[in-house]
Amino acid sequence: MNHARQLPLQGIRVLDVSQVMAGPFACMLLADLGADVIKVEPPSGDQTRGAMGFKMKGPDSMGFLNMNRNKRSLTLDLKSEEDRASFYKLARTADVIVENYRPGAVQRLGIDYESIRKIHPKIVYVSISGFGQSGPWADRPGFDLMAQAMSGVMSVTGYPGEKPVKAGVPVADIGCALFATYALLAAYIGAQKSGVGQHIDASLFDAAMAFSVWDMSEYWGTGVRPTPLGTSNKMSAPYQAVKARDGYFVMGATNQKLWTRLCELLQRPDLVEHADYASVSLRLKNREALIEALEREFGQRDSADWIDAMLAAGIPAGPILSYPEAFEGEHGTHRRMCMEIEHPIEGKVKNIGFPVKLLGTPQQVRRHPPLLGEHNEEIMAEINVPAGAAVAS
């Protein structure tokens, strides 16, 4: 007898009516956990299929291939009455719908939450947008860059007095995807108990603002406006990138115990009780002078030597790696953060690995990122629509 456990979301159907990043990434996480995710695309396809400045063997970009594994693709022209009728029929079989149209667009198409819940009261309906479904900025188009700029993220990124810098990764997009995922799972659990679904309003703007815990805690507590700190931290020092003889590395002596160990490692007992560095608050106040003093010591040896010595002393430290170095290094390899997926056009294609590991029911690659409309006939047969009927191609 096969006692293998099912993936936790097996049996849940999700309609991914979204494009580009936040919605597709959230739906891919659900698909990785076993959900049947149907990517409902316009006849032209998700615009990410043709994104990025380089070509693959087929028409789909590497970005698309990294955000859409384990899904099926269905093309529908939702401006068409026939295809919209097919969408309603499909929606009746779904547990979750995720869309990222501009606010108001789904109402004009007739596929908004109010329209769907009339035919399926238990539906969990997620709307992802730049600035939310209501508010003065709701109608604005919004991408990760705008969300980072208008949420405050860019105001604390980079170094004081320099040009504005955005976070190097799409924190608003990915953050919104993660927050939307936890919200829709909570709403789904609630719907199983109450029999009633709900509308979830997720925005890149709100998600980006949610990362401001330390900055706004300081502002609300002191009235001091947060500013960029480079690689350093407003809660403790030293905790940043520091320069050794051959370049930079990161380290953190974030409490008195670690600070004492660091001074012992440097053979600088005088720093432990130094009038400017005797406590965390004093080290924060005098951070610039502190780092200058420490870098004079660090400059005598290479970064790898310091990292090894600090780790041996129990002080957190590490190298500053490029993405390729991180993915191809021994730890990234052990964590399987790069995996290969078989694809009908590309052959083996690299994908970013599962960001968390379910040890009891490990995630699986069950499907390659779908070709545009690859599953039209299969999905329409599941809702008893004749092959080729009411499906745009």
Side-chain angles (χ1 to χ4, degrees):
M1 182 179 292
N2 183 3
H3 293 286
R5 293 161 61 186
Q6 293 183 340
L7 287 167
L9 299 187
Q10 193 164 335
I12 296 175
R13 173 167 284 182
V14 178
L15 303 188
D16 177 7
V17 197
S18 66
Q19 297 193 44
V20 189
M21 180 165 280
F25 190 84
C27 291
M28 184 180 71
L29 295 179
L30 300 173
D32 287 347
L33 294 172
D36 174 23
V37 176
I38 298 174
K39 187 170 182 65
V40 180
E41 303 185 67
S44 57
D46 181 335
Q47 60 186 278
T48 308
R49 287 185 182 272
M52 308 189 78
F54 60 92
K55 292 292 186 181
M56 304 290 286
K57 294 177 184 176
D60 296 334
S61 73
M62 184 62 94
F64 177 87
L65 298 177
N66 265 276
M67 288 185 286
N68 292 283
R69 63 177 174 245
N70 284 331
K71 302 179 185 180
R72 298 189 286 169
S73 172
L74 170 69
T75 54
L76 291 176
D77 179 359
L78 294 174
K79 295 179 181 179
S80 153
E81 270 189 47
E82 286 184 319
D83 278 13
R84 198 158 52 246
S86 295
F87 181 81
Y88 292 148
K89 198 167 185 180
L90 186 61
R92 289 188 181 96
T93 73
D95 299 286
V96 177
I97 295 175
V98 178
E99 61 89 9
N100 69 344
Y101 284 81
R102 287 270 293 277
V106 288
Q107 285 85 353
R108 292 190 291 274
L109 289 171
I111 61 165
D112 56 301
Y113 172 66
E114 293 300 327
S115 298
I116 300 300
R117 75 171 183 147
K118 289 176 183 176
I119 60 173
H120 188 0
K122 207 172 177 180
I123 195 71
V124 172
Y125 190 104
V126 184
S127 292
I128 292 175
S129 62
F131 297 99
Q133 300 300 302
S134 63
W137 296 347
D139 291 336
R140 292 190 181 196
F143 299 120
D144 180 86
L145 176 63
M146 288 75 211
Q148 286 198 37
M150 298 166 74
S151 66
V153 169
M154 283 178 63
S155 75
V156 297
T157 305
Y159 286 85
E162 297 190 1
K163 291 180 180 180
V165 178
K166 73 175 183 68
V169 293
V171 292
D173 267 321
I174 298 299
C176 186
L178 298 177
F179 292 139
T181 300
Y182 102 83
L184 73 85
L185 289 173
Y188 172 78
I189 293 169
Q192 304 318 296
K193 298 176 180 178
S194 67
V196 179
Q198 61 178 294
H199 191 190
I200 295 170
D201 177 1
S203 82
L204 276 62
F205 177 74
D206 294 1
M209 293 184 77
F211 290 114
S212 68
V213 175
W214 294 129
D215 298 283
M216 290 309 296
S217 293
E218 180 183 54
Y219 177 68
W220 287 328
T222 67
V224 177
R225 188 182 298 271
T227 56
L229 292 173
T231 64
S232 60
N233 179 272
K234 58 182 75 271
M235 299 300 295
S236 58
Y239 180 79
Q240 63 184 80
V242 290
K243 191 174 183 179
R245 183 167 58 192
D246 64 336
Y248 286 88
F249 68 101
V250 293
M251 53 78 61
T254 55
N255 55 41
Q256 205 63 22
K257 181 179 179 180
L258 292 175
W259 169 243
T260 301
R261 287 184 183 177
L262 177 62
C263 294
E264 291 172 352
L265 178 64
L266 296 174
Q267 298 182 357
R268 290 291 305 274
D270 58 299
L271 293 177
V272 177
E273 299 299 332
H274 191 289
D276 290 339
Y277 313 136
S279 67
V280 171
S281 59
L282 285 169
R283 291 194 290 277
L284 283 168
K285 181 180 179 181
N286 300 292
R287 184 196 343 256
E288 290 186 12
L290 169 66
I291 298 304
E292 286 180 10
L294 293 179
E295 288 189 336
R296 283 194 290 271
E297 303 295 333
F298 294 145
Q300 299 176 32
R301 295 163 60 182
D302 287 348
S303 56
D305 293 337
W306 284 118
I307 291 168
D308 288 344
M310 288 187 189
L311 293 177
I315 302 168
I320 300 173
L321 302 178
S322 66
Y323 271 134
E325 288 171 330
F327 275 87
E328 296 165 11
E330 61 179 1
H331 197 72
T333 300
H334 176 81
R335 299 295 296 174
R336 297 195 64 210
M337 286 310 298
C338 176
M339 58 187 183
E340 290 188 327
I341 294 176
E342 292 288 348
H343 188 273
I345 296 177
E346 303 297 337
K348 289 186 182 295
V349 64
K350 292 185 184 297
N351 253 217
I352 294 174
F354 304 118
V356 292
K357 279 69 173 173
L358 275 67
L359 302 184
T361 55
Q363 300 100 311
Q364 307 162 20
V365 176
R366 308 183 316 282
R367 295 178 178 275
H368 61 259
L371 305 177
L372 180 60
E374 180 178 353
H375 304 95
N376 281 1
E377 292 187 9
E378 174 182 303
I379 295 168
M380 298 308 272
E382 292 172 5
I383 55 173
N384 298 315
V385 173
V391 179
S393 59

